[in-house]
Amino acid sequence: MDMPVDRIEFETMLLGRHMSLLTSRGGGRLDRSAYILLSRIRVQGPMSIGQLHDAFGLDTSTLNRQTAAMLRAGVVDRIADPDGGIARKFVITDEGEHRLDKDRAENREGLQRVLAEWTPEEAARFADDLARLNRDIERLDGRPWPRD
């Protein structure tokens, strides 16, 4: 089957670029890594560096730098493992919850402006296709994202 892989690659590259253009450049926005890590911790609950490594496949040194920046920003705290394990875990602070909610709301508002001319059916179909693309990527990567 002849798949339009070149177009999909090109359009996903542009999508990544355009997503950052949908939102303001004002202060207080989370950086991309903090946004993604906080989103995962919110869904999964407190996570250790080892669990973040397993979830994202990132080097421990990269995760240490990212989580240190998040600690300095006050968006996470380190806590004892609620399950009694040895490793300390990262948990979202009230400030982290607030900033994540604020950024997500701004992202949704930007997308709503883009999709203003779309029918609800077109938007739902696009959301389903994006979810399928992400699930297939996760299947190949072996790191599924927890979904509700």
Side-chain angles (χ1 to χ4, degrees), residues 3-4 7-8 17 20 24 26 42 49 53 58-59 68 72-73 78 91 94 96-97 105 111 121 125 138 144 146 148:
M3 298 286 283
R7 280 188 54 217
I8 293 169
R17 178 184 182 278
S20 66
S24 74
R42 175 182 274 173
I49 288 288
H53 166 75
L58 297 172
D59 307 345
R72 285 191 303 275
R78 289 191 85 162
V91 64
D94 289 342
E97 291 279 359
L111 285 168
E121 296 78 19
R125 185 173 54 248
E138 293 162 10
D148 294 343

Side-chain angles (χ1 to χ4, degrees), residues 23 27-31 35 97-109:
T23 59
R29 294 259 328 159
L30 294 165
D31 68 31
Y35 184 85
E97 291 279 359
H98 170 74
R99 289 180 62 187
L100 184 58
D101 287 343
K102 183 175 176 275
D103 284 9
R104 290 195 76 197
E106 193 171 323
N107 291 344
R108 285 191 303 269
E109 288 168 13

Side-chain angles (χ1 to χ4, degrees), residues 19-63:
M19 286 304 295
S20 66
L21 299 175
L22 292 177
T23 59
S24 74
R25 298 289 184 263
R29 294 259 328 159
L30 294 165
D31 68 31
R32 181 180 173 274
S33 64
Y35 184 85
I36 294 168
L37 290 172
L38 286 175
S39 295
R40 183 62 179 255
I41 294 168
R42 175 182 274 173
V43 171
Q44 196 163 331
M47 296 178 76
S48 67
I49 288 288
Q51 289 171 314
L52 291 168
H53 166 75
D54 291 344
F56 292 102
L58 297 172
D59 307 345
T60 301
S61 62
T62 299
L63 288 165

Side-chain angles (χ1 to χ4, degrees), residues 56-144:
F56 292 102
L58 297 172
D59 307 345
T60 301
S61 62
T62 299
L63 288 165
N64 280 325
R65 278 192 308 276
Q66 291 174 343
T67 55
M70 292 167 61
L71 283 164
R72 285 191 303 275
V75 297
V76 293
D77 276 332
R78 289 191 85 162
I79 62 169
D81 184 346
D83 300 323
I86 297 170
R88 294 178 54 82
K89 294 191 174 189
F90 294 94
V91 64
I92 302 176
T93 62
D94 289 342
E95 175 68 12
E97 291 279 359
H98 170 74
R99 289 180 62 187
L100 184 58
D101 287 343
K102 183 175 176 275
D103 284 9
R104 290 195 76 197
E106 193 171 323
N107 291 344
R108 285 191 303 269
E109 288 168 13
L111 285 168
Q112 285 174 335
R113 286 192 309 273
V114 170
L115 300 173
E117 302 290 321
W118 292 37
T119 67
E121 296 78 19
E122 289 170 327
R125 185 173 54 248
F126 184 60
D128 290 343
D129 289 343
L130 279 176
R132 180 178 179 188
L133 178 67
N134 279 322
R135 283 189 181 99
D136 286 345
I137 291 168
E138 293 162 10
R139 177 181 46 79
L140 292 173
D141 185 49
R143 293 182 178 91

